[in-house]
Amino acid sequence: PMRILTVDCQMDHLFALARGWAADGSSRLLWHERLLTWDDVDELQERFGIHSNLVFVDAGHATYDVYRECAKRGWTALMGDRRPTFLHRLRDGRKVHRFYSPRRKVVLNRTQGCSVFYWSNLNIKDMLARLRRNQDPERGPTWEIPEDATEDYLKQMESERRVKKSGKWLWQQIGDRPNHYLDCEAMQVCAAVMLKLVGREAGGDAPEGEEEGAGD
């Protein structure tokens, strides 16, 4: 299985989550933990044998620090976005819409830079919600968590709900419930979509102008 590590950066700590993915899009939570330093992330990456380009870090908070650490270690920065899809131009001239943006390169200095991708908060979290509902392999990819998942993880996974505001759907935090592990799992799905393990992208892209997603 392919192993992916996602990290949510907060003011004085980090939330990290490792998940193993199979070729059919099924996945299992391997580890989740609150960490204190970037070196702790290094240790977690090494423990699970995860390649550097499969470590994804949320750059919504302390953006420059995240870019610097990603550039230093070969990680990839991610940014959640309200746009439902992003336009991609393929080499053959076709245009397609995807749940993540084309790669952007952030240059920090003459020798360091990192890759950044934006992702659709609505559509990726819609996909996460659908994946979490399925435990039957005959109905598609399964989403598994171990029996010893912490209460903190379980609570954070129920920290947002899908609401409609001003005619548009969005995922909204419920009160002040922490949602860091939920964001880590959403980034896992974003990475899996980028790698074509899950979603419509596993079988083809949407044509120009066609929005993917759960719909209303």
Side-chain angles (χ1 to χ4, degrees), residues 11-213:
M11 184 172 295
D12 59 354
H13 58 275
L14 306 155
F15 287 85
L17 185 151
R19 180 169 282 272
W21 291 84
D24 68 351
S26 295
S27 66
R28 180 173 176 79
L29 177 63
L30 303 175
W31 193 266
H32 61 283
E33 186 177 4
R34 178 170 167 168
L35 304 175
L36 295 177
T37 69
W38 295 108
D39 288 340
D40 293 335
V41 180
D42 285 333
E43 292 182 8
L44 190 61
Q45 177 188 348
E46 183 177 358
R47 186 194 316 172
F48 286 97
I50 299 172
H51 195 279
S52 293
N53 63 11
L54 294 178
V55 179
F56 298 84
V57 186
D58 182 13
H61 180 79
T63 303
Y64 181 80
D65 291 339
V66 171
Y67 288 167
R68 182 187 62 224
E69 299 302 328
C70 286
K72 185 188 304 182
R73 294 169 162 86
W75 300 340
T76 300
L78 294 178
M79 294 277 278
D81 194 282
R82 291 195 174 190
R83 283 171 285 184
T85 57
F86 302 85
L87 180 64
H88 290 246
R89 291 178 173 83
L90 305 183
R91 292 181 179 179
D92 62 7
R94 288 186 302 133
K95 298 178 182 179
V96 297
H97 286 261
R98 295 173 174 167
F99 292 170
Y100 58 93
S101 72
R103 183 176 72 93
R104 301 185 183 188
K105 187 74 172 181
V106 174
V107 178
L108 302 179
N109 53 51
R110 291 182 179 179
T111 60
Q112 287 189 319
C114 75
S115 295
V116 183
F117 293 87
Y118 290 77
W119 54 276
S120 169
N121 190 278
L122 173 64
N123 280 318
I124 290 296
K125 288 184 176 177
D126 280 352
M127 289 188 67
L128 171 60
R130 291 197 300 274
L131 287 167
R132 289 178 64 198
R133 287 196 294 265
N134 185 43
Q135 302 300 316
D136 182 359
E138 295 185 0
R139 299 181 60 186
T142 57
W143 181 271
E144 299 181 26
I145 62 173
E147 293 182 356
D148 62 352
T150 65
E151 189 67 22
D152 187 30
Y153 169 86
L154 297 174
K155 287 182 177 179
Q156 290 197 30
M157 290 303 294
E158 305 300 329
S159 60
E160 295 185 8
R161 60 188 170 196
R162 199 175 193 263
V163 300
K164 198 169 189 177
K165 284 193 172 184
S166 302
K168 295 185 177 181
W169 287 100
L170 55 88
W171 283 89
Q172 184 178 67
Q173 189 174 358
I174 301 173
D176 58 355
R177 295 185 189 181
N179 59 354
H180 313 300
Y181 285 131
L182 178 64
D183 284 341
C184 284
E185 291 286 30
M187 289 190 288
Q188 287 278 334
V189 174
C190 176
V193 171
M194 293 166 66
L195 294 165
K196 301 190 185 304
L197 294 173
V198 296
R200 287 187 55 181
E201 299 234 340
D205 297 306
E208 181 182 5
E210 180 183 340
E211 280 191 8
E212 303 174 1

